Amino acid sequence: MATDARPARLTPAEFDALYRRLAGRAAEGDGDALTPARVLAATREVRTGRTVTMAAPVQTAPGPDDPEPARHRMSQWPGRSGESGSGLHFAMDRFAMNVHGDADSHVDALCHVIYDGTLHGGVPASTVTEGGATALAIDAVHDGIVGRGVLLDIPRLRGVPWLEPGDHVSADDLGAAERAQDVRVTEGDLLFVRVGHRLRRAELGAWHVARARAGLHPSALEFLAERRVAVLGGDGNNDTAPSCTDGVDFPVHVLAIHAMGLYLLDYLQFEDLARVCEEEGRWSFLCVVAPLRLPEATGSPVNPIAVL
């Protein structure tokens, strides 16, 4: 079981030291963690051929966590403008959405986080303008993000349905979940951490997640750096609210994206995948993440697929 001792809040000085350690480790890496060899190795995770989505349905109704939901409008449908039923017609629609909201599944590009005047790798913040991002945009991964995925289920570890808002996941929790699930996170993996956000929302209703949500403690990113993971995904925002760091509202975003150069996936849903993993007795799988080709965009709606 995980330790009962939860990590303390970080002071600005402690966060700065953590940032520097993680950025230094990232700089020491060998570049692209998702090499063709690792992708090929990840295909060996496919044994039964079952496919499972990790995306939540796009929300179109407003709620306390989604005051500006996606807008879905039909632009053409049978009977519109008095059209007859004979001949050929097409049903057509359009969507508009806030990619980085607090309800819909999405992936953050490396240009999403601006910290101390720069993007990841020291790229000037001025490369992001009213017209979009001219560096580190989501189209950089237009060939997809493919690799071995691992799901660590923290509520399962603690024997609860979900973590309550404000609680956070420590590095010790991640290690304990590995042992409990008999799986190990390795270099180049796509790591997914379940806190039960979606199940809580489904059973108790939406709430103001900007004020209170479960997520990772910033110090948990040491675990990710040690294992050299390539991607981090969560069923919440990945960051805890209120923040665990004085003076930084989204410390996990700053550390993962800005310091370490990880693609971050927010507001996924793992209830289907957790059930299948339990049934199959394993918590690793081939994972395919395919962002939309959105030139100069800071992120994209996403539907990650686990293949077991």
Side-chain angles (χ1 to χ4, degrees):
M1 291 294 292
T3 177
D4 290 334
R6 307 256 57 86
R9 290 183 61 80
L10 297 183
T11 66
E14 289 169 333
F15 179 77
D16 184 64
L18 176 59
Y19 177 97
R20 292 178 184 278
R21 285 198 304 274
L22 296 179
R25 290 183 188 178
E28 293 169 0
D30 57 1
D32 185 12
L34 295 174
T35 63
R38 289 201 179 104
V39 173
L40 183 60
T43 64
R44 293 197 287 271
E45 296 288 334
V46 180
R47 302 170 198 171
T48 61
R50 298 176 75 175
T51 60
V52 187
T53 178
M54 286 186 273
V58 173
Q59 300 294 303
T60 56
D65 58 347
D66 199 17
E68 297 180 1
R71 296 190 302 277
H72 177 213
R73 297 288 183 269
M74 296 299 298
S75 57
Q76 190 166 307
W77 61 93
R80 177 178 180 267
S81 303
E83 295 172 349
S84 69
S86 61
L88 175 65
H89 302 279
F90 295 98
M92 300 172 64
D93 48 6
R94 65 176 61 201
F95 280 91
M97 67 185 302
N98 172 18
V99 171
H100 299 286
D102 287 322
D104 294 321
S105 303
H106 64 271
V107 56
D108 294 336
L110 299 186
C111 61
H112 178 50
V113 173
I114 302 165
Y115 186 64
D116 286 344
T118 67
L119 310 180
H120 169 66
V123 174
S126 59
T127 57
V128 181
T129 69
E130 184 179 7
T134 58
L136 305 181
I138 197 62
D139 196 49
V141 285
H142 60 254
D143 289 325
I145 303 170
V146 181
R148 177 179 182 258
V150 175
L151 175 64
L152 295 183
D153 191 333
I154 306 306
R156 179 183 186 272
L157 172 71
R158 297 193 192 173
V160 297
W162 54 71
L163 303 193
E164 289 295 341
D167 199 353
H168 46 253
V169 177
S170 68
D172 285 345
D173 286 326
L174 297 176
E178 277 188 319
R179 295 186 291 274
Q181 298 172 210
D182 193 25
V183 68
R184 183 172 176 83
V185 178
T186 58
E187 185 171 358
D189 283 351
L190 285 63
L191 174 60
F192 300 98
V193 181
R194 178 178 178 267
V195 299
H197 178 98
R198 289 290 180 184
L199 180 60
R200 188 183 193 277
R201 188 181 193 274
E203 294 200 4
L204 301 184
W207 71 96
H208 200 312
V209 300
R211 297 174 184 167
R213 62 180 178 268
L216 273 65
H217 190 276
S219 61
L221 274 291
E222 297 262 28
F223 177 96
L224 277 69
E226 176 187 332
R227 302 300 178 85
R228 294 194 177 279
V229 304
V231 170
L232 171 63
D235 52 347
N237 177 261
N238 287 292
D239 264 296
T240 303
S243 173
C244 301
T245 301
D246 294 333
V248 182
D249 286 337
F250 296 90
V252 170
H253 275 66
V254 173
L255 296 174
I257 296 175
H258 197 279
M260 301 171 67
L262 301 183
Y263 286 94
L264 204 62
L265 287 82
D266 295 330
Y267 294 107
L268 304 178
Q269 70 87 16
F270 299 137
E271 305 314 310
D272 297 336
L273 180 58
R275 175 179 50 79
V276 172
C277 286
E278 287 279 12
E279 291 173 358
E280 299 215 351
R282 58 193 178 100
W283 298 84
S284 60
F285 41 86
L286 174 66
C287 183
V288 180
V289 182
L292 299 179
R293 295 206 64 176
L294 301 171
E296 302 187 342
T298 63
S300 169
V302 73
N303 181 17
I305 302 296
V307 188
L308 290 95

